[in-house]
């Protein structure tokens, strides 16, 4: 059997990884400033994370969500404390798309409505239809039975005010748009969404799948604006490479038996990985590091007059390349052995480990000068 050919692949195969570095079979070493789409939060193969997974493998790796699992409770408690949401509840799943599906479904269940407001250039994942084609009315929310989604321009207060009304179940918005090219949401726009959602009885869903988990210097990007969303979705950096996702759910939202469900979500290995990630974020002060090294990188990038609109927060950084330098990412990879990310058509995205060191950041800036 061949692989279904859907991914454009670089002809490079990493076989070993540690911290911010990857190695290929022939011993070549690459600096990773992309973390496989923002997944590597505490650094590749962090020893504490490896030990936690090995320790769990020696005990039990899987049973279904039909038995008590105190690792899930431990994870929820730790996540509540580190994120600043101790009064919220946690639903565990396996990916960012699943987290968003569950959040949309929850909003639709709670409000009994199906209309969703989303934003232009948003990316929330690649699932749909699984619930809609399931023949069990108990798990099909109105939203699942017929999508009704309107896309508005980001940060456009007037168009939002005219779109929000009593028919809306939820607004879904990223903390910072990632795949859309590192587009920042203004504090005043977040505050307006929060206020108008309350007035209209709609739920505010903050997709922090890419921008969360300490990447911006705060645990969640939306925390710079002081709002408290009804639902917050997480994945990517949560497991540092072990697939795990979740939804943080405001205390006003009450569960009922069977409301949500999953086979693999919250399995022992995923919980062990996710707990280890939070422990390392705390003990190694990685949010402070993301803030400091993020500033160093952004300030350094702003000195290159060639790069337009250097933007972002902490270690979620984007900048625009001019048409004349569209090959820069390939040059960095093949000549300087540095992985970066992109957003179409010409944005370079940096999403390194939150443990990126000053030396590694300076090495990147130096290599950029050489590449140019
Ligand atoms: N939400 C955001 C903001 C994302 O960036 C992504 C993935 O890039 C997703 C959701 C989907 O996550 P996953 O690929 O884990 O389903």
């Amino acid at each position: 059997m061949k692989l279904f050919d859907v991914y454009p692949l670089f002809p490079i195969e990493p076989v070993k990884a540690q911290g911010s570095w990857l190695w290929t079979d022939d011993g070549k070493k690459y600096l990773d400033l992309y973390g496989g789409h923002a997944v590597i939060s505490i650094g590749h193969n962090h020893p504490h994370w490896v030990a936690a997974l090995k320790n769990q493998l020696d005990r039990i790796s899987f049973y279904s969500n039909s038995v008590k699992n105190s690792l899930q409770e431990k994870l929820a408690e730790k996540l509540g404390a580190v994120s600043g949401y101790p009064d919220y509840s946690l639903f565990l799943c396996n990916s960012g798309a699943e987290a968003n599906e569950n959040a949309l479904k929850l909003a639709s269940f709670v409000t009994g409505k199906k209309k969703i407001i989303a934003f232009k250039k948003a990316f929330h994942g690649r699932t749909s239809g699984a619930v809609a084609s399931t023949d069990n009315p108990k798990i099909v929310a109105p939203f699942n039975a017929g999508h009704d989604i309107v896309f508005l321009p980001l940060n456009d207060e007037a168009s939002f005010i005219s779109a929000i009304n009593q028919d809306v179940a939820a607004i879904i918005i990223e903390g910072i748009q990632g795949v859309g090219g590192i587009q920042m949401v203004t504090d005043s726009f977040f505050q307006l969404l929060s206020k108008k959602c309350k007035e209209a009885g709609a739920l505010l869903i903050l997709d922090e799948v890419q921008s969360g988990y300490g990447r911006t210097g705060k645990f969640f990007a939306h925390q710079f604006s002081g709002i408290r969303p009804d639902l917050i979705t997480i994945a990517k950096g949560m497991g540092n490479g072990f697939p795990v996702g979740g939804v943080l759910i405001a205390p006003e939202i009450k569960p009922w038996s069977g409301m949500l469900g999953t086979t693999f979500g919250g399995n022992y290995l995923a919980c062990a990985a996710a707990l280890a990630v939070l422990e390392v974020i705390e003990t190694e002060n990685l949010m402070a590091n993301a803030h400091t090294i993020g500033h160093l990188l952004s300030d350094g990038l702003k000195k290159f007059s060639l790069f337009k609109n250097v933007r972002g927060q902490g270690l979620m950084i984007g900048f625009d390349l001019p048409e004349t330098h569209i090959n820069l990412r390939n040059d960095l990879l093949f000549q300087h052995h540095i992985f970066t990310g992109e957003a179409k058509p010409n944005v370079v995205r940096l999403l390194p480990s939150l443990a990126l060191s000053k030396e590694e950041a300076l090495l990147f800036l130096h290599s950029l000068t050489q590449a140019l």
Side-chain angles (χ1 to χ4, degrees), residues 76-88 213 218-220 222-223 228 232 234 248 278 282 287:
E77 196 174 327
K78 184 87 187 160
L79 179 57
V82 178
S83 68
Y85 284 99
D87 51 335
Y88 279 45
Y213 255 77
K218 287 196 188 282
F219 197 83
F220 291 124
H222 71 261
Q223 287 171 321
R228 278 172 74 83
I232 305 164
I234 51 177
L248 276 65
L278 290 172
E282 229 180 16
M287 289 194 260

Side-chain angles (χ1 to χ4, degrees), residues 95-97 100 123-125 174 179 207 209-210 236:
S95 69
N100 286 327
F123 183 80
H124 297 295
E174 288 161 82
V179 175
D207 178 345
V209 166
Q210 189 168 144
K236 293 198 188 282

Side-chain angles (χ1 to χ4, degrees), residues 86-116:
D87 51 335
Y88 279 45
S89 324
L90 176 65
F91 177 74
L92 287 162
C93 55
N94 309 286
S95 69
E98 248 188 85
N100 286 327
E101 286 282 344
N102 280 295
L104 289 163
K105 197 166 156 202
L106 267 172
S108 185
F109 268 138
V110 167
T111 60
K113 301 169 192 169
K114 66 178 183 180
K115 186 167 178 180
I116 304 295

